[in-house]
Amino acid sequence: LVFTEEDKYGLYSNLLFKYFLAEGIVCGHELFVASAKEHPDNILKELPAPLLDDTYGKELGDEAAKSEDIQDSMKIAWRYQNLPKMEARPTTYTKFGHYYDVSKKMSPELCQSVKWHSFYLHEELSFEPKMKTCNMNSGYARLLQSIQRIISQEGFDGSDPQKKQRNVLRIGIQSLGSVLWGDDVCCSDTPEDTHSLTKFLYVLRGLLRKSLSACIITVPAHLIQNKAIMERVTNLSDMVVGLESFIGSERETNPLYKDYHGLVHVRQIPRLNSLICDVSDTKDLAFRLKRKLFTIERLHLPPDLSDTVSRASKQDLAGSAKLLSSGCGAMAIGKKHLDF
């Protein structure tokens, strides 16, 4: 169960959501797409097209060549010349999964090559009257019933003997917890039913544990004012990742972050069937959207080459010099607390 905190405008989290579904189609997995915002048919039409391996290798080669040119042209202080070099990216890349071109859409033939199921909340509620079970709103209850039905009917239940070749079900739920799902957890600090979302995740986690399925959920976490609910949701998830976009923030115009479009916060790493969790070697991650690729990299800030004095301004230094000329025994009357 992968829990993704949406960015403020939902642009990059929606792209990450489509990456998850596109990977399932390329790997031949069945899909289950649920949304209350956008129709699942439209989501599948907007999936990115697979990128050829040689094209991706050329992209990495160009980036590496640019990096080498920059390093050759830079002159650093003599004290750092003999230190070991820290590579911003590996010279050779390890292929993990597939890569996708965000400038192109996946072909309809490839989308139709796998079996997929859809759940659009507004259509589901129009068929039957609303129901509320176990202090859970109608939208969550119907979604759980639909997921459970697909798992049992399509042969993804791990407790039953497999009658056909084993496959994996990829479940994608978009903007869970928003007002469109009938939940007020994003509208009020004290929602009417604070346990509706957590109960849904608890039951969903049980379904995932006993089935051959994986799920990604995007939630507008920046709208949830109750921090206790966010802590419970985090504990009920296996992996929690947050996306912070620079759009509309001070970092958008900050020259230190000019090469990136946002930050990636790894809140929690999976620890399935283990007493301890894996600890990542780095927590400073950033993402950027290129012409074709959406990449997540280590955050490397450029050096500060400003002409201003960083520790103290010239006026403060001049004031300290006047105090020193009057004698060290005088009372400290300067602006800095270290002046004497």
Side-chain angles (χ1 to χ4, degrees):
L1 178 58
V2 181
F3 181 85
T4 305
E5 300 176 2
E6 296 181 359
D7 53 294
K8 186 176 181 180
Y9 298 99
L11 299 177
Y12 301 104
S13 59
N14 190 29
L15 182 59
L16 193 63
F17 180 79
K18 294 178 180 179
Y19 263 56
F20 178 83
L21 299 178
E23 182 69 15
I25 292 179
V26 175
C27 295
H29 300 160
E30 289 193 25
L31 300 182
F32 180 90
V33 185
S35 175
K37 177 182 178 182
E38 187 178 0
H39 199 282
D41 296 344
N42 298 331
I43 295 177
L44 294 177
K45 291 179 181 179
E46 298 295 328
L47 296 182
L51 188 65
L52 298 179
D53 295 340
D54 54 353
T55 306
Y56 182 73
K58 184 178 183 301
E59 294 266 349
L60 282 183
D62 296 341
E63 292 288 338
K66 293 179 182 178
S67 177
E68 293 178 358
D69 295 340
I70 294 176
Q71 291 180 358
D72 293 340
S73 61
M74 289 178 60
K75 294 182 180 180
I76 60 177
W78 59 271
R79 68 185 72 176
Y80 303 120
Q81 290 180 355
N82 296 327
L83 294 178
K85 296 182 179 180
M86 177 63 69
E87 295 292 339
R89 63 176 70 247
T91 54
T92 59
Y93 73 96
T94 303
K95 188 177 184 301
F96 179 78
H98 301 85
Y99 305 96
Y100 301 91
D101 186 355
V102 296
S103 63
K104 299 180 181 179
K105 306 301 178 184
M106 184 176 292
S107 62
E109 294 78 11
L110 186 57
C111 292
Q112 297 174 1
S113 61
V114 298
K115 189 176 182 180
W116 59 277
H117 314 272
S118 63
F119 180 92
Y120 189 50
L121 180 62
H122 304 294
E123 293 181 352
E124 297 292 333
L125 294 180
S126 61
F127 293 153
E128 298 179 8
K130 294 184 178 181
M131 62 178 183
K132 188 174 184 179
T133 59
C134 300
N135 296 328
M136 189 183 302
N137 64 20
S138 178
Y140 295 162
R142 293 192 181 281
L143 180 57
L144 284 175
Q145 289 181 355
S146 181
I147 295 175
Q148 187 176 12
R149 184 179 67 254
I150 296 300
I151 289 176
S152 60
Q153 293 180 358
E154 299 297 330
F156 297 104
D157 194 350
S159 59
D160 295 338
Q162 298 293 323
K163 299 179 180 179
K164 58 180 181 179
Q165 185 179 3
R166 288 174 175 254
N167 200 346
V168 177
L169 176 66
R170 284 184 178 241
I171 304 173
I173 306 175
Q174 187 184 49
S175 296
L176 189 69
S178 62
V179 183
L180 298 176
W181 285 94
D183 198 348
D184 58 345
V185 69
C186 294
C187 302
S188 174
D189 190 13
T190 57
E192 181 180 355
D193 190 0
T194 58
H195 303 288
S196 184
L197 179 60
T198 53
K199 285 184 178 180
F200 170 80
L201 293 176
Y202 185 80
V203 178
L204 176 62
R205 188 175 181 178
L207 291 176
L208 297 178
R209 286 293 185 272
K210 66 175 185 178
S211 63
L212 302 174
S213 56
C215 179
I216 184 173
I217 299 176
T218 63
V219 175
H222 60 282
L223 299 178
I224 299 179
Q225 304 176 13
N226 195 328
K227 301 301 180 182
I229 296 179
M230 283 302 303
E231 292 179 359
R232 296 167 190 164
V233 169
T234 301
N235 294 331
L236 289 172
S237 304
D238 296 323
M239 182 174 184
V240 180
V241 178
L243 299 181
E244 179 185 352
S245 175
F246 292 160
I247 300 177
S249 63
E250 297 179 355
R251 294 177 178 177
E252 184 179 10
T253 57
N254 193 332
L256 297 178
Y257 301 96
K258 63 180 181 179
D259 296 331
Y260 305 100
H261 295 101
L263 301 178
V264 179
H265 304 287
V266 181
R267 314 289 189 192
Q268 183 170 291
I269 299 179
R271 50 181 183 273
L272 301 178
N273 303 325
S274 176
L275 297 178
I276 59 175
C277 62
D278 185 19
V279 179
S280 176
D281 56 347
T282 179
K283 293 184 178 180
D284 298 327
L285 299 176
F287 65 85
R288 57 176 172 174
L289 182 60
K290 303 178 183 179
R291 185 172 61 90
K292 293 183 178 181
L293 299 176
F294 175 80
T295 59
I296 298 177
E297 306 171 354
R298 290 185 179 183
L299 178 61
H300 294 278
L301 298 179
D304 187 6
L305 302 178
S306 60
D307 297 333
T308 59
V309 181
S310 59
R311 295 184 178 179
S313 62
K314 297 179 180 179
Q315 297 178 355
D316 295 336
L317 293 176
S320 300
K322 292 180 181 180
L323 290 174
L324 289 175
S325 62
S326 61
C328 296
M331 185 179 297
I333 57 174
K335 298 181 179 179
K336 298 295 182 179
H337 67 281
L338 294 179
D339 293 338
F340 60 92

